[in-house]
Amino acid sequence: MIRPLKTLDECRQVVELEKRIWGYTDGEDVVPAPVLIVSIKRGGVLLGAFDSSDTMIGFVYSIPGWKDGTPIQWSHMLGVAPDARAAGLGRQLKLAQRDATLAMGIELIEWTFDPLQAFNAHLNFTKLGVVVETYEENLYGESSSPLHQGSPTDRFIAEWHLRTPHVERRITAGGALVRDASIGSAPVVNPAKPGAWLEPVEGELAHESRRVLVEIPIGFSDMQREVPDLALQWRLTTRRIFQSYFSRGYRAVDFFLSREARRGQYLLALP
């Protein structure tokens, strides 16, 4: 069950989930209960997911903001307990957040995510229908989470335009999509080298095709922990690629996940 969180005790449960999910050891990284309770009283959205024993197993949190004079919700956190991630709860929480935001008369939610986290990209693009045109370098600086160790906290800014036909189609399809066959002919700008771990290449920064594909590895968190130098290589090489193409007007509009090949591919396209 997913429901709005309204009490200080519920906010404290969110804090405990933050620590459990991200392994935070530094209080600076945790959004504390007093901030949560005040923000939801002034336009924030905080929803919790509960199991059959009424234990909180996930949450989504956003705060009100403005972009170009238009009200938005800025989604700061989406967290699901490790043992509850196989049931599609992250998507359910985002859809509940969408409903709550639309009920406010707001039609845009934005958030950040690591462009090298393939399963997050799969959720955001394939199942929700976001687009991305902004890349931020080391946005959060050093983090106490072991999930972020060894490389800068570079982030995409996801734009979720809640009422667009593209978003409606992705939500309705739930990931079961039929895509344009011409996408398969788009050039891969950085075909990774196979091996025990996929290895990055510098990539071609000057393609003129209307569509291009950018590869990333699956398992970036494991890579950060086990081969941090390689993870840093992936961070720096893909940073250059994304920044180059975004500066020329490309946007990330889709993502293709291949578990068998242990890689994902972003589709970048010109308007």
Side-chain angles (χ1 to χ4, degrees):
M1 180 178 65
I2 295 174
R3 66 171 187 257
L5 304 180
K6 300 178 180 180
T7 69
L8 187 59
D9 180 65
E10 289 173 330
C11 291
R12 289 177 178 137
Q13 293 178 54
V14 170
V15 172
E16 292 308 307
L17 259 185
E18 291 181 60
K19 296 175 182 177
R20 179 182 171 195
I21 292 167
W22 290 290
Y24 289 137
T25 58
D26 188 339
E28 180 180 294
D29 294 315
V30 175
V31 179
V35 172
L36 294 172
I37 195 68
V38 169
S39 63
I40 61 177
K41 291 180 180 295
R42 290 298 180 267
V45 174
L46 181 59
L47 306 173
F50 295 83
D51 64 14
S52 58
S53 64
D54 207 36
T55 299
M56 189 184 298
I57 56 174
F59 70 93
V60 65
Y61 170 60
S62 62
I63 57 177
W66 291 86
K67 182 178 182 180
D68 301 326
T70 300
I72 71 167
Q73 281 283 316
W74 178 269
S75 188
H76 181 61
M77 293 187 294
L78 168 67
V80 177
D83 53 358
R85 289 174 185 167
L89 187 55
R91 179 175 181 271
Q92 294 172 43
L93 281 162
K94 292 303 289 186
L95 295 181
Q97 182 188 46
R98 177 178 183 264
D99 290 342
T101 300
L102 288 172
M104 297 176 175
I106 295 172
E107 299 186 3
L108 174 62
I109 302 176
E110 293 188 330
W111 64 90
T112 65
F113 73 96
D114 187 337
L116 290 176
Q117 293 290 350
F119 292 108
N120 285 354
H122 178 63
L123 168 64
N124 291 334
F125 285 91
T126 307
K127 298 185 178 183
L128 300 179
V130 309
V131 296
V132 169
E133 57 188 20
T134 304
Y135 187 102
E136 296 283 353
E137 285 188 30
N138 201 27
L139 181 61
Y140 300 116
E142 295 297 322
S143 168
S144 66
S145 171
L147 300 179
H148 302 152
Q149 64 186 349
S151 62
T153 52
D154 290 17
R155 295 293 183 266
F156 275 167
I157 295 182
E159 302 175 17
W160 199 19
H161 297 274
L162 304 180
R163 289 199 185 276
T164 60
H166 172 70
V167 168
E168 296 281 1
R169 286 193 297 269
R170 292 298 166 106
I171 290 173
T172 301
L177 298 170
V178 176
R179 294 179 169 106
D180 185 342
S182 66
I183 292 172
S185 64
V188 180
V189 305
N190 64 331
K193 298 178 183 178
W197 296 91
L198 288 182
E199 296 184 16
V201 298
E202 288 300 315
E204 172 57 61
L205 303 182
H207 272 297
E208 299 295 336
S209 303
R210 182 173 172 270
R211 294 168 168 172
V212 298
L213 296 167
V214 179
E215 287 195 347
I216 66 166
I218 287 178
F220 185 67
S221 293
D222 293 335
M223 186 184 294
Q224 285 180 299
R225 182 174 56 254
E226 298 180 31
V227 278
D229 290 345
L230 182 61
L232 182 58
Q233 281 184 267
W234 270 106
R235 175 69 79 211
L236 298 180
T237 55
T238 54
R239 174 192 287 178
R240 286 191 290 270
I241 291 168
F242 288 124
Q243 288 180 333
S244 174
Y245 281 93
F246 286 176
S247 71
R248 293 197 284 131
Y250 287 81
R251 301 188 306 164
V253 297
D254 210 344
F255 186 78
F256 311 103
L257 185 70
S258 175
R259 289 177 171 85
E260 298 79 12
R262 297 183 295 115
R263 72 186 69 201
Q265 293 180 328
Y266 286 100
L267 177 66
L268 275 53
L270 291 170

